[in-house]
Amino acid sequence: MIWVALMFSSLWSQLLNSINAMDLKDLKSKIVAVPDWPKKGVVFRDITPALEDKECLRFLIDELAKMAGEQGISPVRGRGALRALAASNGVDKVVGIDARGFILAAPLAYKLKAGLAIARKKGKLPRATVSETYNLEYASEIIEMHQDSIKRGERILLVDDVLATGGTMASAVKIVKKLGGKVAGVLFFIELKGLGGRAKLKGQKIKSLIKF
C-alpha cells in the first residue's frame, strides 16, 4: 500500500508539473515593449515583469543553464581525477554585464558551480581596471573589469540580458581576453535580430533564449 501511495504521489506531482509547465511563449509574454525609451526611436525591452514572476525567473535561469549545456558547459563535480576531467567542460567564472546581466549571471554561476565576475560602467569599480569603449544604439559608454577579476587560462562564460548592436558584449569579450581568460560561450536572454549584434561577436559561441 505504501508503494502504491508513493507511486500515485509521484504521478500526481508529474501531472501538476505538466499542467503548470512554462514555455518560452509564456516567458516572452512577460517582456514589455516600451517605445521611445530611453530616447525617441528606441524600443526598450523591459524584463522586470519576467523577473518579478517567481515561476518565470526559475524557468529563465534553468533555460540559460540548458543553453550553457548546449555549448558543452556543465557544472564541475567530483574529486581528484574525475573533477579534473569534468573541469574541461566547466567554467571558472560567469561574467555578468552591467547592469541587468548581474541578475542573470549570479544564479547561473551558482547552478554551474562557478565564480561570478562583473563588467561595470566606467567609475563604478574601486581598484585598478582594464577598460574598453563601445557604442550602444543610443549612446557611447566605457566598460571596465578589475585587473585581478580573471586569472590567466580561466574558462569564462559571459551573460547579458539583451543582444542589440553587440558593442557591450564585444567589449567585455575583449577585456576577458586581455586578462588572459578563455571565452567558453556567450549567452543572452533576448536578441534583437534587426540590430545585427552577432556580427560584432564573430568567432564566439553565441546563444539567445528569446528573439525579437
Side-chain angles (χ1 to χ4, degrees):
M1 289 296 293
I2 293 175
W3 179 80
V4 172
L6 288 172
M7 185 173 71
F8 178 78
S9 176
S10 176
L11 290 172
W12 179 250
S13 177
Q14 290 176 30
L15 178 61
L16 288 177
N17 287 338
S18 66
I19 292 172
N20 297 322
M22 180 168 288
D23 60 24
L24 292 178
K25 286 184 179 179
D26 296 322
L27 184 60
K28 191 172 185 177
S29 71
K30 292 286 186 178
I31 301 167
V32 178
V34 184
D36 298 324
W37 198 90
K39 64 179 289 186
K40 190 171 180 63
V42 174
V43 179
F44 182 79
R45 301 290 175 174
D46 183 10
I47 67 170
T48 56
L51 301 176
E52 290 161 4
D53 185 307
K54 61 184 178 182
E55 297 300 330
C56 276
L57 179 58
R58 184 179 300 111
F59 178 76
L60 168 57
I61 300 305
D62 287 345
E63 288 299 305
L64 288 174
K66 285 181 186 177
M67 287 202 305
E70 290 166 3
Q71 290 182 328
I73 298 167
S74 56
V76 177
R77 298 187 176 94
R79 296 181 178 179
L82 180 61
R83 184 176 180 84
L85 178 63
S88 64
N89 293 323
V91 289
D92 297 289
K93 292 188 179 84
V94 176
V95 171
I97 312 300
D98 196 340
R100 290 177 298 275
F102 301 162
I103 300 168
L104 307 178
L108 183 58
Y110 176 81
K111 285 186 73 72
L112 296 177
K113 300 185 182 298
L116 173 68
I118 58 175
R120 299 220 62 182
K121 291 176 183 175
K122 184 176 176 61
K124 300 293 184 180
L125 295 173
R127 296 182 287 107
T129 62
V130 173
S131 65
E132 283 285 338
T133 302
Y134 64 97
N135 294 316
L136 294 167
E137 62 272 29
Y138 50 82
S140 178
E141 293 280 1
I142 296 175
I143 197 169
E144 300 179 323
M145 294 184 69
H146 277 137
Q147 286 182 358
D148 59 357
S149 60
I150 291 171
K151 295 180 177 62
R152 185 164 298 278
E154 285 187 326
R155 282 170 52 83
I156 307 298
L157 174 66
L158 296 99
V159 182
D160 204 0
D161 64 325
V162 177
L163 172 57
T165 61
T168 314
M169 185 59 78
S171 292
V173 167
K174 288 178 182 177
I175 293 175
V176 168
K177 290 181 175 180
K178 278 184 180 180
L179 295 174
K182 297 178 180 178
V183 178
V186 179
L187 300 183
F188 297 94
F189 177 8
I190 297 168
E191 180 176 354
L192 306 179
K193 294 189 293 182
L195 296 179
R198 283 180 178 254
K200 291 185 180 176
L201 295 166
K202 284 183 179 178
Q204 304 304 322
K205 295 180 180 178
I206 307 166
K207 282 192 171 291
S208 58
L209 193 57
I210 301 288
K211 295 178 175 63
F212 287 99

